Amino acid sequence: MSFQNIAKLLSESWAFAIAVDGSDCHSSSFIDIRVRLCSEGRLLSLHVIAVPFFGRHTGEAMYNMIETIFDMLCTDWKSKIIACSTDGAANMTGHISGLVTHLSNVSSPGFVRIWCSLHQIDLVMQQIFQKVDGERFYPVLTGMISHLQWQKMIIDHLKLMCPALSGTHWVSMSCISSYLLQHRMEILEHYESLPIERHKSEPMQMFWIYLTVVNVIATEVNDTVQHLQGKQALLSQQTLEIDSLIQRIQRMMFAEKISDEMIPTHSPQDTVDSHGFRHLKTDLQGFLADQGLFVVQGIWKLKNEELSLIFDNVAEMLSTLVVGLQQVWAERDEHNDRSANEAFPTMPLEFVQMRLRDVINFVKQQEVQLASSWSQKQVESICTQHRVLKQRCENQPCFKTALSRSTVTDQFHEAWGVEGISTEYPELCAFAGGLAAIFPNTASVESDFSQLKWEKDDFRHSLTDLSLEGILQCRQMLNSM
């Protein structure tokens, strides 16, 4: 994908969004920029450039760099940019001199600030893992990982090295806990073979019980995150996926929300209260029993005070996860707090379920962006086509049924491809495509850095920045074919 093609796509679109992040590779710092827009009824997520960045990563410096790049690609980009997604770092979101603040100041009204939900989830996960068992679990886990990675005999025996913790805790913790639980017997035998004076480093039974709970939590979160990392994911889909994860965790922990009207039905000795949730100890014990025979056998060996401590910690982990996930919200305001603005409609069924006055409100929010690219007749066609679409659904039950079959996981072009909607209602589809262009997270930028570090590995230090960018652009072209 050449810069000429990207410039052409930008000029033809009424709105586009960007995602920005920074990373280091072999002592060199890079800022990666991606752009997302709608073209011919399809969402395109495009790598623009990975810029070598020297000096301090201040919001102003990053904005000046982005301004220089987009001034060359699209002269009227400031009237078209609709959103910017970042990892939530202070230099990105600061309300005085952050990058997003600089972009918001020069953009048209209706600009949307996005704090990557995956990074927010990672903060929740880190908080949970580090506080397990009064902050004693995490040091034992990291010590075990460090120890096992240096044991050649157990590596040769298992033909697999223990995974390492990485920056993305939702992924690495799932891999690590699965590895340790799968090879638990071999690991215990290894610790038994150590000299007696080193037996004190052997994890205790309570550690393994906590590890099963960590594995359940990390695996559930990891499954959701995998669904959200696609380049076609929408903000509305991300919100629904996170809500679905919260519901699964709540069903798993069998807890009820504490309220002033609640009538106590159990003795306080039989319950655990945590973060506004009340857990029955019998339910917590049943949850632990579902994790495997060795967990049940381990529980039998514990003293009552140890078992109560486990119940308290498991309740704390599950309720902290639910409360933390409920606070995850991508759209932010100028102070990086949760935005009160209503989410944009993007799918055909969402427009069908809306009144015309609500569609007009969304059009008014983006009227400056629309006016820079469309004629007044095209803007008015959005409302006209919305009315016709609603009437068609009312008059043709089969058509409405076809629309209702669209699922949460459908991609934008799939939903608008039903019965040829995108060609019959082109302005309405293009308007929805501009709203759908917002990056719900920065996973695609992280993917760019993974490719960058793969290409410029330990054996290719002499690869120039220009050649590296050429490789990334060629990869993008091949992937789009």
Side-chain angles (χ1 to χ4, degrees), residues 193-427:
S193 68
L194 295 177
I196 296 178
E197 61 271 13
R198 295 188 63 187
H199 275 199
K200 63 180 181 180
S201 64
E202 178 183 356
M204 305 300 291
Q205 182 63 43
M206 291 176 66
F207 169 86
W208 292 101
I209 295 176
Y210 288 132
L211 187 65
T212 61
V213 181
V214 167
N215 179 252
V216 171
I217 290 175
T219 301
E220 284 288 345
V221 173
N222 188 40
D223 290 343
T224 297
V225 169
Q226 294 299 325
H227 294 154
L228 299 178
Q229 288 182 326
K231 294 179 180 178
Q232 297 291 325
L234 304 176
L235 262 177
S236 57
Q237 293 173 337
Q238 177 173 263
T239 302
L240 291 174
E241 284 284 357
I242 294 174
D243 288 343
S244 176
L245 173 62
I246 293 172
Q247 293 171 11
R248 294 200 304 272
I249 299 297
Q250 287 179 318
R251 288 195 298 268
M252 185 189 303
M253 68 184 191
F254 296 104
E256 56 183 346
K257 191 75 174 174
I258 299 175
S259 64
D260 296 334
E261 296 80 17
M262 181 180 292
I263 300 175
T265 56
H266 297 87
S267 169
Q269 290 78 16
D270 298 329
T271 62
V272 179
D273 293 349
S274 178
H275 294 286
F277 290 96
R278 178 159 293 162
H279 307 253
L280 287 176
K281 290 185 177 180
T282 53
D283 289 337
L284 292 171
Q285 185 163 351
F287 167 74
L288 292 172
D290 289 338
Q291 308 313 316
L293 177 61
F294 83 90
V295 177
V296 176
Q297 293 173 337
I299 290 175
W300 291 342
K301 299 175 183 177
L302 295 176
K303 300 176 182 178
N304 289 336
E305 56 270 22
E306 292 177 325
L307 189 56
S308 294
L309 180 60
I310 286 181
F311 289 156
D312 291 343
N313 275 283
V314 172
E316 174 74 14
M317 293 165 66
L318 295 173
S319 56
T320 300
L321 178 59
V322 170
V323 172
L325 291 175
Q326 288 173 340
Q327 296 173 352
V328 172
W329 194 257
E331 299 99 316
R332 319 303 287 188
D333 62 16
E334 62 272 16
H335 299 290
N336 207 32
D337 296 324
R338 178 171 174 159
S339 174
N341 293 334
E342 188 177 355
F344 290 148
T346 54
M347 293 300 203
L349 192 59
E350 292 178 289
F351 280 95
V352 169
Q353 295 168 345
M354 294 174 62
R355 295 173 298 183
L356 181 57
R357 70 188 74 167
D358 298 322
V359 175
I360 292 174
N361 285 335
F362 284 114
V363 172
K364 289 178 64 178
Q365 289 179 28
Q366 308 299 329
E367 60 183 349
V368 176
Q369 289 93 331
L370 289 167
S372 69
S373 302
W374 289 10
S375 65
Q376 183 61 29
K377 181 179 179 180
Q378 287 177 301
V379 176
E380 292 178 357
S381 295
I382 298 172
C383 302
T384 304
Q385 292 172 11
H386 171 259
R387 185 187 299 111
V388 174
L389 179 63
K390 281 182 69 73
Q391 291 174 348
R392 183 177 176 184
C393 284
E394 293 172 359
N395 299 331
Q396 300 179 21
C398 293
F399 176 70
K400 186 174 183 178
T401 302
L403 280 185
S404 64
R405 290 199 186 109
S406 299
T407 64
V408 174
T409 58
D410 279 355
Q411 295 185 5
F412 180 85
H413 69 274
E414 293 173 339
W416 284 92
V418 174
E419 301 283 338
I421 302 176
S422 61
T423 54
E424 290 191 41
Y425 313 99
E427 280 77 23

Side-chain angles (χ1 to χ4, degrees), residues 21-88:
D21 201 1
S23 185
D24 295 330
C25 179
H26 298 298
S27 71
S28 296
S29 182
F30 291 87
I31 300 295
D32 187 80
I33 307 170
R34 287 192 77 91
V35 65
R36 193 156 86 155
L37 49 81
C38 181
S39 176
E40 298 180 354
R42 285 180 173 270
L43 284 181
L44 302 179
S45 176
L46 305 172
H47 164 77
V48 178
I49 192 171
V51 186
F53 202 79
F54 308 98
R56 295 178 59 201
H57 288 203
T58 63
E60 182 179 5
M62 288 188 288
Y63 168 76
N64 291 335
M65 179 265 294
I66 290 174
E67 184 180 38
T68 301
I69 293 170
F70 279 95
D71 280 346
M72 293 185 293
L73 291 175
C74 181
T75 54
D76 58 344
W77 69 273
K78 293 176 183 177
S79 63
K80 292 188 174 188
I81 186 169
I82 193 174
C84 178
S85 304
T86 68
D87 61 1

Side-chain angles (χ1 to χ4, degrees), residues 129-189:
F129 298 149
Q130 292 177 356
K131 290 187 176 181
V132 176
D133 195 21
E135 301 185 3
R136 289 184 290 269
F137 169 84
Y138 199 73
V140 174
L141 176 64
T142 54
M144 177 189 284
I145 295 169
S146 179
H147 172 77
L148 293 176
Q149 288 182 332
W150 286 93
Q151 304 307 307
K152 188 175 185 304
M153 290 184 62
I154 195 169
I155 294 173
D156 292 341
H157 175 65
L158 298 177
K159 295 181 174 57
L160 187 66
M161 180 179 285
C162 179
L165 275 174
S166 68
T168 49
H169 286 70
W170 64 79
V171 176
S172 61
M173 191 61 78
S174 176
C175 296
I176 290 167
S177 57
S178 297
Y179 170 90
L180 295 177
L181 292 171
Q182 182 180 353
H183 303 293
R184 183 179 63 88
M185 296 305 299
E186 292 89 343
I187 293 172
L188 290 175
E189 290 173 1

